[in-house]
Amino acid sequence: MGELVDARGLACPAPVVKTREALKSGASHLEVLVDNATARDNVTRFATSQGCQVDVLEEGAFFRIHIRRESPVEERSLEASVAPECRPGTESGKVLVLSSDIMGRGDQELGSILIKAFLNTLSESETLPWRMVLFNRGVLLAVEGADTVTALSNLATLGVEILVCGTCLDYFGVKDKVAVGTVSNMYEILDTMFMASSSITL
Amino acid sequence: MGPEDLDKVLRLLPPGDMREEILVGLDTQDDAAVFQLDEETALVHTVDFFTPIVDDPYAYGQIAAANALSDVYAMGGVPLTAMNIVCFPCSLGMDVLAEILRGGLDKVRESGAVVIGGHTVDDEEPKYGLAVTGKVHPKRILTCKGAKAGDALVLTKPLGTGILSTALKGGFLEEEDLVEAICGMARLNRDASRAALDAGAHACTDVTGFGLLGHLLNMLPEQGLGCEIKVSSLPLYPRVEEMASMGMIPAGAYRNLDFLAGNAKFAPDVSDVGKYIVCDPQTSGGLLLAFSPEGLADFATCMAEGHDWFLIGEFLESEHPLIRVIG
């Protein structure tokens, strides 16, 4: 059973905002209740734009909208059929490697500011990587309390797969604090690197 | 209110008083009323106010004033005086209200008119606007009817303010993302109106709450004239398409589309969001003008440099008032 978002009685754009929040928090299956056609169409439009599968059921005085997040491959084909010019592109094959929790060598404080700005910019970019691999201190970007979690969650919502090195999480003692991405292993990381059409290491 | 609801209410009322001094009154879909004083002079009356559409109080004041003044410009008039209409919660701080009024005042001054009074009401949600009086020569009034088959359809501001302000409200955009739209909404329709008069426009209205198609439909008589517009030629503010495809379409756009019903035909190559963009309610939108080919050439000359205008369609012979929208 998916997460339930009751947006009945709410006027536009609140139902879309609530749907977006639920998807951002990582839900892969949602049921959104709305009580007017405007909200039904806008929520449907939003979920479709995010590459989700959407089904609408009319139940008396309200609508029940089923939203399922699909795998990235299906997301792309879905996106392409709707309005390609508006979708951020998820290029399969491009891998972004984050091996540190700062950007560049040198000043620690500056590096933290830069990596946050980098991830925020990336999450608003037209071109997105297929996967992101986080290892060594890079895994700290994805744990609770890190100010980069929001940007990474946005990227995940846009269909970017985020692999977080399990060995590294263990080493830093934060395995139970992962806030975004899937805990991964060296086999998968190796596979990802080999499958990559190109990889960018930060 | 949506066009359908407004129509229902007005039907409940007795018809407006007929007097020969009323050159434009309740019986047309025009932007302002015109009352003749003598051979040379008629007064143009209009009022408009609304809730904040941006957070910056000064910008809101400017936009509300440009929007209210626009109705006078849409009739070919020159604004003379304006009165503030203010609904405001005292809890919000008087400095905020002062900024709103300063924005309005600056815009009225820019138009050459003067603010000579106003009225305030304590209200939970702020609302601001103005009642504006202007003057026009009785023989030089621009009205929404008068377009002829073969006329060019011109729009003088980009579209999409309803979608953008919905996205702003929903947290999908920041106020910085709306800079161009805010500048556009705050711009007076004065120069476009003057150029339209000089170039002999056949008809004029401004695009506001009923959206592009709703106001365009007001330009069509009950029979004999239709219009074709091309969605790909429409000027849009930045990020309008993107926000519309993410579901940031205001309820007003849905209402406007419903109201058009049989009066609009969409070609198969018009996208889903395209239908709503042409029905998006606008705040302080541009003038919508009809010109003969010669008039269009004159208008192009009259519009000083730096003034936007866009050729977006053509009036055609048609049995019924029909707007054909192509991709």
Side-chain angles (χ1 to χ4, degrees):
Chain A
M1 211 43 214
E3 194 179 316
L4 185 76
V5 176
D6 190 348
R8 287 176 294 182
L10 296 179
C12 179
V16 177
V17 172
K18 288 187 87 112
T19 305
R20 178 163 89 150
E21 280 165 7
L23 280 176
K24 260 190 179 174
S25 71
S28 60
H29 181 195
L30 282 183
E31 282 195 359
V32 184
L33 305 183
V34 298
D35 58 7
N36 62 83
T38 300
R40 174 197 64 197
D41 292 354
N42 276 343
V43 169
T44 301
R45 208 167 266 126
F46 171 72
T48 309
S49 81
Q50 299 305 301
C52 297
Q53 178 88 41
V54 185
D55 293 300
V56 182
L57 288 175
E58 190 169 349
E59 295 186 4
F62 63 93
F63 302 95
R64 187 183 293 272
I65 308 169
H66 289 273
I67 299 173
R68 267 182 308 281
R69 185 192 296 291
E70 300 291 326
S71 72
V73 178
E74 283 167 82
E75 257 178 46
R76 277 197 306 281
S77 59
L78 243 178
E79 283 167 0
S81 68
V82 185
E85 72 278 12
C86 307
R87 309 281 156 265
T90 310
E91 276 188 32
S92 75
K94 200 168 278 183
V95 171
L96 182 66
V97 180
L98 302 178
S99 60
S100 168
D101 59 340
I102 61 168
M103 188 173 178
R105 293 189 186 84
D107 191 79
Q108 182 79 25
E109 198 185 344
L110 176 63
S112 302
I113 295 169
L114 293 178
I115 193 85
K116 189 183 171 195
F118 174 82
L119 291 173
N120 283 336
T121 309
L122 180 65
S123 67
E124 286 162 17
S125 154
E126 295 286 318
T127 312
L128 296 174
W130 161 55
R131 282 183 177 169
M132 290 171 68
V133 177
L134 277 53
F135 57 71
N136 211 314
R137 288 188 69 88
V139 299
L140 299 176
L141 298 167
V143 300
E144 279 171 32
D147 58 4
T148 43
V149 167
T150 314
L152 287 173
S153 303
N154 289 346
L155 286 161
T157 309
L158 293 167
V160 178
E161 287 183 56
I162 298 170
L163 306 182
V164 188
C165 164
T167 311
C168 312
L169 290 167
D170 274 338
Y171 179 81
F172 293 113
V174 289
K175 199 159 197 170
D176 53 345
K177 294 209 171 67
V178 180
V180 57
T182 46
V183 178
S184 189
N185 53 54
M186 206 45 92
Y187 293 110
E188 198 179 8
I189 291 175
L190 199 61
D191 255 345
T192 300
M193 304 285 231
F194 278 136
M195 280 160 67
S197 63
S198 64
S199 76
I200 301 156
T201 306
L202 220 57
Chain B
M1 270 169 87
E4 209 155 350
D5 290 334
L6 184 59
D7 224 37
K8 272 184 207 156
V9 173
L10 293 179
R11 276 171 207 278
L12 298 176
L13 298 175
D17 293 334
M18 300 299 282
R19 279 174 57 176
E20 60 181 27
E21 298 99 316
I22 303 172
L23 303 182
V24 179
L26 290 168
D27 50 336
T28 72
Q29 287 89 35
D30 274 293
D31 304 288
V34 183
F35 189 89
Q36 184 162 6
L37 292 180
D38 57 41
E39 294 282 299
E40 299 289 313
T41 319
L43 291 177
V44 186
H45 297 285
T46 184
V47 56
D48 207 331
F49 65 113
F50 47 75
T51 54
I53 63 156
V54 290
D55 292 331
D56 177 5
Y58 181 75
Y60 167 48
Q62 283 192 308
I63 292 166
N67 184 71
L69 291 159
S70 176
D71 287 333
V72 174
Y73 292 128
M75 305 303 293
V78 176
L80 297 173
T81 61
M83 312 270 268
N84 284 321
I85 296 162
V86 179
C87 305
F88 203 76
C90 297
S91 57
L92 211 55
M94 289 303 118
D95 49 333
V96 175
L97 179 56
E99 276 299 281
I100 295 172
L101 294 177
R102 193 169 67 84
L105 183 63
D106 282 354
K107 224 8 106 173
V108 171
R109 278 191 181 146
E110 184 188 331
S111 79
V114 284
V115 175
I116 52 168
H119 185 72
T120 58
V121 171
D122 188 15
D123 193 359
E124 270 173 38
E125 194 179 21
K127 294 161 198 85
Y128 173 62
L130 304 102
V132 182
T133 302
K135 69 169 179 179
V136 66
H137 192 285
K139 299 255 174 344
R140 302 229 316 155
I141 301 170
L142 290 173
T143 65
C144 63
K145 298 287 194 303
K148 296 179 176 66
D151 277 1
L153 178 68
V154 165
L155 176 67
T156 66
K157 283 185 190 179
L159 299 166
T161 68
I163 289 164
L164 293 180
S165 56
T166 304
L168 182 66
K169 216 184 278 176
F172 280 59
L173 290 179
E174 302 291 325
E175 202 138 304
E176 303 93 85
D177 300 316
L178 267 74
V179 169
E180 290 188 43
I182 290 171
C183 291
M185 289 187 281
R187 195 166 68 236
L188 292 176
N189 279 329
R190 174 186 55 194
D191 297 352
S193 168
R194 203 176 293 162
L197 271 175
D198 291 346
H202 288 164
C204 175
T205 187
D206 63 350
V207 183
T208 51
F210 301 157
L212 172 66
L213 291 201
H215 291 281
L216 179 53
L217 185 61
N218 281 343
M219 296 178 88
L220 302 178
E222 273 173 36
Q223 51 189 12
L225 194 66
C227 191
E228 182 174 276
I229 62 165
K230 201 170 159 55
V231 172
S232 55
S233 70
L234 293 176
L236 303 180
Y237 288 117
R239 307 195 66 178
V240 169
E241 256 180 308
E242 177 196 350
M243 288 300 124
S245 67
M246 290 177 85
M248 291 291 108
I249 299 175
Y254 287 86
R255 279 200 299 268
N256 289 341
L257 183 61
D258 282 350
F259 183 72
L260 288 164
N263 291 111
K265 267 219 169 81
F266 295 92
D269 59 342
V270 177
S271 69
D272 168 55
V273 294
K275 290 179 193 172
Y276 292 96
I277 288 171
V278 293
C279 292
D280 184 39
Q282 301 298 286
T283 298
S284 192
L287 295 184
L288 199 52
L289 298 155
F291 289 107
S292 68
E294 305 77 52
L296 182 65
D298 290 343
F299 180 71
T301 320
C302 295
M303 280 299 263
E305 222 160 274
H307 284 89
D308 287 340
W309 64 275
F310 313 90
L311 180 62
I312 61 165
E314 189 185 5
F315 289 92
L316 304 163
E317 276 180 29
S318 165
E319 203 175 319
H320 305 290
L322 181 72
I323 303 168
R324 278 173 41 88
V325 184
I326 58 175

